[in-house]
Amino acid sequence: MSESIADRLEKLGITLPDTAAPLANYVPFVITGKTVFVSGQLPLLNGELQSTGKLGADLSVEDGQAAARFCALNLIAQARAAAGGDLEKIARVVRLGGFVNCTPDFTEQAQVINGASDVMVDVFEDKGRHARAAVGCVSLPRGASVEVDGIFELAKAQDRRRPAMVSYKRIDHVALHVKDIEASKAFYESHFGFETYFEHDTPKGFNIAYLRLEDTVLELAGYEDSPVRGFHFCLETDDFDGAVSALTDAGVEIYQEPHKTAARAPREESWRRVVFKGPDGELIELRG
């Protein structure tokens, strides 16, 4: 039996990062037929930029290769999302485009982008051998040292006309976006009998509180400095990857990429969450 890509990642000691949100008015990837075009990825680790500066001035070739490796891992994470969470659906890495922030006299762009190419071959083996470009440029977004985009081939074309049906269990909770989370907690506890049973802070500094009234769960999300206002609801599913795949295949827009979520109970330790946009911009969260 051949080794799976998941097993190969584990053997290589690679943990794929969370998919990075776009920095401007574009989407992380586009699927047309069997081809996935992944937007340029910076050397990020779960949203944090890992390498800035210029090759030939501030950074060595080895520094650039390490940055290109981070770009490659983000590319693979996006390709996995495009393939519905299953890297076995990637038939081939077709092409990489590498951009190196460098001085005019720097000429080792190809060696720098080898940091990304080596990752593709390590992870996908022969399927990871690809065509490539490696060019120098005067600057990159956020001062990053390297950026890499990619084209991948899927084993099977996505059928957006007939998305797979996924079973959703129940509405997990309804969320209200509030300015003062402590005042809102007191309001719902004193007037309606809710009880706060779990609280946590998000990586972006938002405060979240979950209140329970028998089998009804209300989430209060403190978004004081965010343009997000209103409410969203959350569905629970036993087939998280299948649900994400079905909705993305159907062209439903992702608002927040899949990521690990705080566990409110032991059964949720391995749960992930994703947020989609409805036709009027409403937010639909999935957990499972």
Side-chain angles (χ1 to χ4, degrees):
M1 184 176 179
S2 61
E3 181 181 49
S4 71
I5 295 176
D7 289 340
R8 199 173 304 131
L9 287 170
E10 184 176 359
K11 187 164 70 175
L12 292 167
I14 293 175
T15 300
L16 293 180
D18 296 336
T19 51
L23 297 179
N25 186 20
Y26 61 92
V27 293
F29 57 81
V30 169
I31 303 172
T32 177
K34 294 171 62 177
T35 307
V36 180
F37 296 85
V38 181
S39 299
Q41 301 295 303
L42 300 181
L44 297 170
L45 178 60
N46 298 331
E48 297 293 327
L49 193 59
Q50 301 298 302
S51 177
T52 59
K54 281 189 180 294
L55 277 292
D58 313 307
L59 303 172
S60 67
V61 169
E62 292 74 20
D63 293 330
Q65 289 173 335
R69 176 181 172 84
F70 278 115
C71 296
L73 295 179
N74 282 280
L75 277 173
I76 295 172
Q78 296 287 7
R80 180 177 64 179
D86 184 2
L87 285 173
E88 300 298 334
K89 294 181 180 178
I90 301 294
R92 186 173 185 88
V93 183
V94 178
R95 184 184 184 277
L96 299 183
F99 304 88
V100 180
N101 184 356
C102 61
T103 58
D105 59 345
F106 184 80
T107 60
E108 297 182 86
Q109 290 87 355
Q111 286 72 26
V112 169
I113 302 303
N114 276 348
S117 294
D118 290 347
V119 171
M120 295 300 171
V121 176
D122 287 344
V123 172
F124 295 100
E125 296 186 328
D126 283 344
K127 296 191 297 184
R129 300 190 183 279
H130 51 272
R132 199 184 80 179
V135 300
C137 52
V138 296
S139 66
L140 285 172
R142 294 176 59 184
S145 58
V146 180
E147 180 174 0
V148 184
D149 62 24
I151 302 173
F152 297 80
E153 180 187 357
L154 295 171
K156 183 179 179 182
Q158 305 279 18
D159 185 355
R160 294 180 178 270
R161 296 168 301 172
R162 298 181 64 188
M165 295 302 295
V166 175
S167 174
Y168 297 99
K169 295 179 66 174
R170 64 188 181 95
I171 292 180
D172 180 85
H173 64 267
V174 173
L176 301 177
H177 304 160
V178 300
K179 289 185 177 180
D180 186 335
I181 198 165
E182 293 300 324
S184 294
K185 280 166 52 182
F187 177 84
Y188 285 101
E189 288 172 345
S190 62
H191 293 293
F192 298 100
F194 280 90
E195 179 182 358
T196 301
Y197 74 97
F198 183 78
E199 297 183 68
H200 73 98
D201 295 331
T202 71
K204 294 185 178 180
F206 302 143
N207 305 117
I208 306 291
Y210 290 92
L211 289 71
R212 182 186 288 122
L213 180 63
E214 296 187 356
D215 59 352
T216 299
V217 175
L218 174 66
E219 174 190 333
L220 299 177
Y223 288 121
E224 182 176 354
D225 298 322
S226 169
V228 176
R229 288 291 183 269
F231 71 93
H232 70 264
F233 73 95
C234 175
L235 291 170
E236 180 184 341
T237 176
D238 285 334
D239 185 6
F240 182 85
D241 289 332
V244 173
S245 178
L247 291 168
T248 54
D249 288 354
V252 181
E253 181 183 352
I254 289 183
Y255 176 79
Q256 193 170 32
E257 294 286 344
H259 60 279
K260 187 133 180 8
T261 187
R264 300 164 298 180
R267 76 185 186 94
E268 299 179 7
E269 288 294 338
S270 62
W271 276 22
R272 289 171 290 161
R273 71 186 289 270
V274 63
V275 182
F276 286 90
K277 271 190 177 182
D280 291 319
E282 68 273 23
L283 301 182
I284 306 109
E285 177 183 352
L286 304 182
R287 291 189 183 215

